[in-house]
Amino acid sequence: MARGDQEGSGVAPVQVRGTVLTVRRVDAYVAMTVVAPAIATRFRPGQFIAVAVGGPSSSMLARRTFSVHDVRPDHGGTVEFVFLAREPGAQWLADCRARDVLDVVGPLGRPFPVPREPASCLLLGVGSGAAPLFALASRLADRNCAADFLLGAESADRVFGALTARRTGRSAVVATTDGSLGARGSVADVLPTVVAQARTDVIYASAPLGVLRSVCALAGRYEIPVQALVSEPAMICGTGLCMGCVLPAVGNDGITRMVRACVDGPVFRGDLVRWDDVGTIPFDALGAPGWKPRAGTPATPTGERSSAG
């Protein structure tokens, strides 16, 4: 793969009061569009937003974080995000209507790096994790990169964006666990065939941790780089303060550090994340009990961030 450009990661986020423009159902999901021009102009594919829920008197103090599906110049600049209404905060959002006002912070996090030269890119998404891949596809098209889609979910109603993928991608393959749409099985099951047919140079993946682990393991055997968008563990605050989304990743200096998905990611080089150790603090991670630096090794990383692609 050609070297990539990490775009827009140095742009400061903003806090806005955005007016809800539309709320619509997309199969099992809710797609919400908010008027937020200051966020729309700063956004780069892969970044996310944090939305306050419950209203000013609510006991739900934590914001909810969502990957951005699309931004448009309409109405001065709109931002669309997609979610499942499966917990109280998300349900409160689903009950919002046009002209309601939301407190939104964004864009947050580091975006997807894009190739400097034309490349064959596979965009792999599971469930609503596929949502941020469509803005990425538009950006890749601007770089004359070919985009192939591999989408998956448990069932047909949980697959997001299949029609759009077939309309805009060079190819689109769908896999569902129950076989209700596309191939029966997981995206990992059909990945080898898709990679071979598409002659993939780089994989962009947005999926649950278990899927990302499998994708990175398989891509490693083919020596294909992976840019992985990590949204688990949950990014509660979105700013790195709560430390709820830490995971172990190897830095450019070879040292493992506990990084935060919300500020050091959410996009990581797949080969640098220690997928088998997510949820733990590895014994050799910086700061772990008994850890000692190698001679001449700095305690903090130098140059690029440890998670950068």
Side-chain angles (χ1 to χ4, degrees):
M1 173 193 171
R3 286 180 59 84
D5 295 332
Q6 187 86 42
E7 299 186 332
S9 56
V11 178
V14 294
Q15 182 176 3
V16 303
R17 289 178 58 79
T19 301
V20 176
L21 185 65
T22 61
V23 183
R24 59 191 177 92
R25 289 280 176 174
V26 182
D27 293 326
Y29 302 103
V30 177
M32 176 173 285
T33 302
V34 178
V35 180
I39 295 177
T41 56
R42 290 168 168 81
F43 168 76
R44 297 294 181 271
Q47 292 182 302
F48 64 97
I49 58 174
V51 185
V53 298
S57 60
S58 174
S59 61
M60 294 187 287
L61 301 180
R63 291 175 178 265
R64 302 304 192 265
T65 56
F66 305 99
S67 293
V68 174
H69 172 232
D70 193 19
V71 296
R72 294 182 180 275
D74 314 61
H75 304 275
T78 61
V79 175
E80 183 180 73
F81 57 100
V82 177
F83 59 95
L84 275 172
R86 60 185 177 186
E87 54 86 23
Q91 185 59 61
W92 181 88
L93 279 175
D95 291 337
C96 290
R97 295 292 178 262
R99 299 185 181 178
D100 287 345
V101 177
L102 299 177
D103 183 315
V104 186
V105 175
L108 297 164
R110 294 167 61 81
F112 287 113
V114 294
R116 295 177 183 173
E117 301 171 358
S120 179
C121 303
L122 176 61
L123 279 54
L124 183 152
V126 174
S128 60
L133 299 177
F134 294 94
L136 173 63
S138 296
R139 187 70 191 95
L140 291 172
D142 293 340
R143 292 292 182 97
N144 296 316
C145 293
D148 301 286
F149 284 90
L150 174 53
L151 306 178
E154 296 176 356
S155 57
D157 66 326
R158 296 293 182 96
V159 176
F160 182 80
L163 292 178
T164 303
R166 288 168 177 154
R167 185 173 65 249
T168 61
R170 182 174 62 178
S171 67
V173 175
V174 174
T176 50
T177 304
D178 64 1
S180 56
L181 182 64
R184 180 184 294 274
S186 71
V187 291
D189 295 332
V190 299
L191 181 59
T193 300
V194 173
V195 164
Q197 292 177 346
R199 307 186 70 173
T200 300
D201 295 315
V202 58
I203 297 172
Y204 292 92
S206 178
L209 287 174
V211 176
L212 293 178
R213 175 181 178 275
S214 298
V215 169
C216 290
L218 188 143
R221 294 197 291 271
Y222 288 91
E223 297 185 347
I224 299 174
V226 178
Q227 296 293 337
L229 190 155
V230 177
S231 57
E232 300 175 359
M235 295 183 290
I236 299 173
C237 70
T239 60
L241 294 177
C242 73
M243 302 295 289
C245 60
V246 295
L247 68 160
V250 180
N252 295 327
D253 52 12
I255 295 177
T256 295
R257 294 176 175 82
M258 301 305 294
V259 299
R260 297 162 296 178
C262 62
V263 293
D264 298 304
V267 178
F268 294 88
R269 262 182 52 183
D271 61 318
L272 297 183
V273 176
R274 293 177 54 167
W275 301 105
D276 291 338
D277 296 319
V278 173
T280 72
I281 300 177
F283 75 93
D284 57 343
L286 177 66
W291 183 89
K292 294 182 180 179
R294 298 190 300 269
T297 300
T300 56
T302 57
E304 298 178 345
R305 293 192 187 191
S306 62
S307 58

